[in-house]
Structure formats: structure tokens, C-alpha cells
Amino acid sequence: MENMLSKKLNRRRFIGLSSCALAGVAVGSQVKVLRALAMTGEVANVTAVTEKEVFTSCGMCVNKCGVIARVRDGVIYKLDPNPHFLKSRGMLCARGNSGVQSVYDPDRLKYPMIRVGERGAGQWRRASWDEALDLVAARLNEVADKYTRAGVMFASSEGFQEHFFLTFAECFGSPNTVRHASLCLASNMQGFGATFGSNPTPDVLNADYVIMSGANRSEALITPDSIDMVTGNGGKRKLVYLDPRFTKSAAKADEWYPIAPGSDLAFILAMIHVIVKEGLYNRSFIENRTVGFEALVPHIEPYTPEWAETECEISAENIRRIAREFAAAAPRAVYYQGRRSSFFDNDTQMRRAMAILNVIVGNWDVKGGMVPTQTIALSTHDYIAPWYSRLDAGTATFLSEKDGSWKHFRDRVLEGAPYPVKGMMVYKQNPVMSVPNREKTLKMMAQMDFICTIDVTMSDTAWYSDVVLPEATYLERLDPAHALSGIVPVVTYREPAIEPLFESKPNLWIMQQLAKRLGDEVYESFDFTMEEYLEHQTTRNPAILESLKKTGVYYEWTEPKYGTTAGQRLKTPSGKLEIYSERYAERGLDPLPVYSRVEQVPKGKYRIIVGRHAFFTQGTTQNNPYLNDIMPENTLWLNTREADRLGLKNGSKVRVRSAVGEEVLRLEATEKIRPDCVYMAHGFGAMSQGLSKVYSRGGCDAALIEDGVEPISGNVSMHQTFVEIMPA
Ligand SMILES: Nc1nc2c(c(=O)[nH]1)N[C@H]1C(S)=C(S)[C@@H](COP(=O)(O)OP(=O)(O)OC[C@H]3O[C@@H](n4cnc5c(=O)[nH]c(N)nc54)[C@H](O)[C@@H]3O)O[C@H]1N2
Ligand SMILES: Nc1nc2c(c(=O)[nH]1)N[C@H]1C(S)=C(S)[C@@H](COP(=O)(O)OP(=O)(O)OC[C@H]3O[C@@H](n4cnc5c(=O)[nH]c(N)nc54)[C@H](O)[C@@H]3O)O[C@H]1N2
Ligand code: SF4
Ligand SMILES: [Mo]
């Protein structure tokens, strides 16, 4: 069977071998489980047997928390946390609770739509699936015939059914998949990966000392960290928080420093300086588990706390004290790496420094430190990019073959070199809103011969497409099993709470129907049902599927494991933790992080920084009726003193202008931000009239942000744009 798995195209026979009995997935058995739980007091009020309770997993953000959907008479009326799912510590956030509205929102996509007017003018006609799919297949073939198959790009973001979209790209024959990593965490993965061999997980629950910089866990929610940072370790742990804004995380922290944007690297290098100079590092750990410490010692010589103070605006005294406290708490200490690292063009080296700081005090593979990330293996077919080179090949030093770099990709499409890309398929991604410099994205789309978007709402990207295909929402789908990695890894999945409403369809069905129209060779890879796919994923261990059906989750162990890498080679070239990176040196990069100052704010301007709001997921949930009700538009945060100086009144409309765009939104004069920065929550100011509640409400940050890029990973850098503010 394994051999057949490795046969890339002929998966049909393989999948055909496994039986396909998922029929009768017993809702009854779930009710029994819930009743049992109710008796133990774990779940309250499970009485109504006429109702249906379905195990699913939240689709409102990347965390995929375990959910029980409660259905009465075919209507989903409530979503509750699945008590078997440990990662969310028994909670659902505001967005998770509002998921019901993704199904019943009048604005959801209901039917396939074909554009009739100019692109972006919003004239559509409803089409049958057959007509829409025939059109998409014909247009894809046209582009392929004219420009080769690499002439179609496939833009997508994470999700349970994204795999089928990537498989479709692969079978179609295009290497040009462009995923969200280069807008999000690519430099983080690179910096920590280069040091640890993989991206570790911080054991926030058990750490005694946590430093968070550029990570706002009380609003940008990552489970379980968001909860553990507050409640873990009996609330005894110390939290030091660095952010130019006073966020909700700052409110929960023991110490908050409004650090100068882009200077975190100075702070970290100075901490390393203190720890090395004062001999506070873990000598035996360094000898046994790391390479390159001897090179670090002279390297950090100039990075004194006094020097750093002038860069990051945190006093030398505080840097010294925090370094000593951190080292004293080690190894139960975490310099938290955050997630979105699309800040500055020094981000990979900054994350490298964070990793090195953790390493020298021995925070690795121990309780309360950085812990190897674990994942439960599921069978899949591996994505193997076709042999053509990616359009953006060679743009970043360590470009991911699967993710690419949105910024570089778009530039090359606009240049038309080294080859033309004229077709665009989009799945679960909204690049018009999520890639900096919206004007450029629209230009890139304008030169496409054909654009098709598969979404659940009429996103801005859908609005500028030729064909829009409605996917069923996560609550209406049977999805593949999904492995969530972490210190305690888990497998989760989704049963449909209800049948897809209107004419929406799951992505697997959409890919199958398109594949059929593109010929047997493509279709062969899609000739299976979701039930068969689930069986295939769990062939190596059928207990997984059994457990998923019974409890909605599968665990191999439920307590953290430490010390699993003792005596093992890590996935770095040396097999050890790499303080000095030979691989970076070979590629002409600084093998140890070197500080350079980011461009400073010119007089009369402000640095625009962006970030998350707890109610909204990127550019996605702003139109959700429940969430929109709480916050219908975003505001521009400006320091009160600056607002006074400019004569701008709180609540008045202001115009924000950068070199690439202009937006108008309401001013929020606040003490919660440094005077040299402004901030706006991401995801507002939509152009799509299909999003009736956020259409033209608030401002769109993507319209203002220039397209800087971090050269090692190809990640965008979003905090390097300066804006002027004036009354509107
Ligand atoms: N509610 C909610 N939760 C989410 C998401 C969501 O959209 N909504 N999205 C998920 C995703 S995809 C991601 S990537 C993560 C993002 O998680 P985070 O990366 O933690 O969140 P952000 O809000 O993007 O940025 C973090 C903070 O960095 C601050 N900051 C800006 N510049 C600097 C700087 O130079 N130095 C320092 N120290 N701080 C700076 C910003 O003010 C902001 O508060 O959240 C995930 N969780
Ligand atoms: N200016 C600015 N840009 C940013 C950020 C920022 O803070 N500011 N953050 C960056 C970060 S960290 C990230 S991760 C990226 C994220 O950027 P994207 O990957 O583009 O993600 P979203 O903005 O969440 O858009 C996801 C799209 O998928 C759709 N969708 C939701 N569920 C489903 C589904 O089940 N099926 C289908 N087919 N579609 C679905 C939504 O309606 C939405 O249109 O954005 C990045 N871009
Ligand atoms: S954090 Fe909130 S939105 Fe994200 S998966 Fe969990 S409940 Fe859903
Ligand atoms: Mo992200």
C-alpha cells in the first residue's frame, strides 16, 4: 500500500482498496457521549434527544477549536466547545460562537455567479453549476494552450479542504501555488527553523517567565497560548510585553514597554550580551547541544544595553534586569516567537536572535521552555510540485516551493517575466485585502485573462473575479481529518451539522467536477468520496477514525512530553541547535544576527502598524452579522497629543495618505499608542458590495501599506510605511 501511495497520479486504485463505510455515523452515539459527559458535569443541559449534536471543528480561524454544533429541526442554533478538545481549554471565542452566522448570513454565496459587466463593476448573473464549471474548465484550457500550464496561478490559504485545491494545481500541471505564509509567518518559520531545525512550541502553560514581543495573544488568539498566558502556572508567572501599542495583552502583563517599532532585535541582542557577559548562560547545555557559541561571544560585544537603549527606548537598567530574570527563570522561560512576522525587512534575523536567546539559557525540550512541536501523522498524498520552476523562483534566499512569496510573485506577473501568468484560481484566500499595496494586486488581476474564486462570501477578490463558486461553509461539510500540531498534538475533523444550503458545494466536489472536465488524467486523482479519503487518512491507525466519530478528536497522549530529542539529531545541518548558521554563511547571509536600524519616521509623518482584533479574523469576519454589530468599522488610532497638535477631534473623519494609497476613516485619539505610530485594525473598508455591512465602512490597511519584503524568506514587511494624516 505504501508503494501505491508513492505513485503520484494513480491514487484511484489505492483509495479503492479501502472500504468506504462511514455510513450511519451515529449521531445517536454522540448524544450518548454527551449524556455521559453531562452526568459527570462536564457538559451542562444535554437533555433534548430529538436534537442533533454534531462534532465539528471551528472554521472561523486557524486554531480549529473542537466544536459541538447543536441542531434543532435542521437549523443550527448553537455552537459549544467540545470538552474532549483540550487545546482551547474548553472555550470558544466570540468569532467561534458567531460561526452560525456564516451559514445564515444573507450575504453568503448561494449560487455560482458569472460576471457580465466590467471586472469589479459588480454585475453578475446566476449560473448553473454545469455552465460555470464548463466555463472555468474551458478558460483554464485556453490559458494553458496559450501560455503553458504554469500560466495559471493557484492562490490559497490553510483549511481542511485546501489540500484538494493544491492537488488540483499539481495535476493541472502548475508549480505556481501562492499561499498565505509569505504574508504571515514565513520569516518566523525561517528564523526558528534555522536554529532549532523546526519551529518549536513555547510551553506557555508551564513557563515561569514569558517575554512576548510583537505577539498580542489576548487579541490575536492562538490556542492554547492565549488562555495559558493568563491562567497558566497558577497565574504566578511573569509576563513582559513589548508593543508600540497598549493592547489587551499589555493590560494583562506585569511589565509593558512601548518599544520603538523595528528595534526588537536591539533589545534581544542586548539581552544576549548581558547573559553572555555575566556568564548566565547554560554552559553544559551549550557544550552538549549547540554549535557556534564561541562565535557569538565576540559578535555580541558591541550590543550593550546602553547602546540598545538608544535604539529600542527601553532603559539599559531594565534590559539588564529582564535579562538576569529571564536567565534565572530558565529553562522554564520563553522568549515567545509570535506568529505573524510580516513586520520589517529584518524579521528573519530578528526571529533568529529570539531563538538564539532561548538556546543559550537551555530553554529547549524541557517543561516550561521551547518544546519540539509534535504532529500525529495522517496518510495523505504528498504535494509534489511539477517540474517547471516557480514564477518567483530565486527571489528570496530560502523561498518555500509550496508557499512562494506573494510580493515577488505579483511583481513577476506584472513584469510578465520569466514567463506570463494569465490565469488565476483562488481558494479561501482574499489577496485584494491581504496582500499589501492593493492597487498593485488589482493591476495584477487586471492583466489576467481569467480569474475564478471559490469562497463562502463575496470577498473583494471574488468581486474582481470572472466566475465565483460558492463553497459550503465549514458547518455544512464532511471534511478530511486534520492534524493540529503542538506540545500535545491532536487530530480533529468535521461532520456536517446540516446539508449545504442553497447550491453551495464542498471543495472536493468542485475540484472533482473541474477535474472531470479536464480529462481522465486529472480526474484519476480525485476519484474517491470524502468517506473514502477519511479512511485512507487513517489506514495506518483505524483507531483515529473511530475516536473522531466518538469524540470529535483523537489524541495519542494528553500530557506534554519532554526530553524527546535527547540523543537525537535535529533537522539542522549540524544536527544540533545552531547558534551560528553555517548554512546562512554559505548563502551569503549573516550567520549571526547583525543589527541594522529600520528606516525612521520622517517629520510630519507616522508609521502605520497593523494587527488583529479579537472579533475579527484577518479580512474575513467583519461582515458577520453578530460581530459587525459589536464593531461596524475600524478607527485610526492616533496618540491624543498628536491629535491635539494636528487639531483633529476624536471621532472625526480623517484622511490617511501613503505613497500607494489613501483611505478615510474615523479618528480614535488614544493614549494607547506611541506618538510616532498610527494603527488600524485589519480587514475593513471592503470594496465588495456583496459584503453589505462592511462595504466602504472604515479603512483598508492593504490600500495604504507599501510592499516591502524580507529578503531571506520572501515574507512581506508591513510596518515600513509612513502616512500623513489630515482632516477628511
Ligand atoms: N482574533 C484573531 N486572532 C487571530 C487572528 C485574527 O485575525 N483574529 N489571526 C491569526 C493569525 S493568521 C495570525 S498570523 C496571528 C497574528 O498574531 P500576532 O502576530 O500576535 O498579532 P498581530 O496583531 O498581527 O501583531 C502583533 C502585535 O505586534 C505589534 N507590533 C507592531 N510593530 C511592532 C514592533 O516593531 N515590535 C513589537 N514588539 N511589536 C510590534 C502590533 O501593535 C500588534 O499588537 O493571530 C491569529 N489569531
Ligand atoms: N494589511 C494587512 N494584511 C495582512 C495582514 C494584516 O494584519 N494586515 N495579516 C496577514 C496574515 S497574518 C495572514 S495569515 C493573511 C491572511 O490572508 P488570507 O489568507 O487572504 O485570509 P483571509 O483574509 O482570512 O481571507 C480568507 C478568505 O477565505 C474565505 N473563506 C472563509 N472560510 C472559507 C471556506 O470554508 N471555504 C472557502 N472557499 N473560503 C472561505 C473568506 O471569506 C475570505 O475571503 O493576511 C495577511 N495580510
Ligand atoms: S480561536 Fe475562536 S475563531 Fe479561532 S478556532 Fe477557536 S473558537 Fe474558532
Ligand atoms: Mo497569519
Side-chain angles (χ1 to χ4, degrees), residues 298-365:
H299 180 79
I300 49 83
E301 192 65 41
Y303 299 129
T304 63
E306 283 69 22
W307 160 81
E309 175 175 335
T310 60
E311 295 295 321
C312 67
E313 301 175 25
I314 300 172
S315 74
E317 193 189 333
N318 279 329
I319 298 175
R320 274 209 174 82
R321 178 181 50 77
I322 292 168
R324 288 172 189 152
E325 289 175 359
F326 185 76
R332 290 177 74 135
V334 154
Y335 201 109
Y336 188 85
Q337 74 261 54
R339 181 174 167 97
R340 182 170 72 87
S341 48
S342 46
F343 290 14
F344 292 93
D345 55 17
N346 68 4
D347 244 300
T348 291
Q349 292 289 13
M350 198 262 273
R351 310 282 153 174
R352 268 274 289 151
M354 285 180 176
I356 291 168
L357 175 57
N358 280 307
V359 164
I360 60 170
V361 292
N363 298 348
W364 169 241
D365 205 2

Side-chain angles (χ1 to χ4, degrees), residues 58-65 91-97 221 223 617:
C58 182
M60 298 294 278
C61 93
V62 68
N63 292 304
K64 311 291 184 264
C65 300
M91 293 187 225
L92 293 183
C93 76
R95 296 164 297 156
N97 277 291
L221 305 180
T223 57
T617 299

Side-chain angles (χ1 to χ4, degrees), residues 253 585 643 676:
D676 55 355

Side-chain angles (χ1 to χ4, degrees), residues 678-691:
V678 292
Y679 163 82
M680 60 203 272
H682 176 52
F684 284 87
M687 292 194 296
S688 164
Q689 291 170 33
L691 301 171

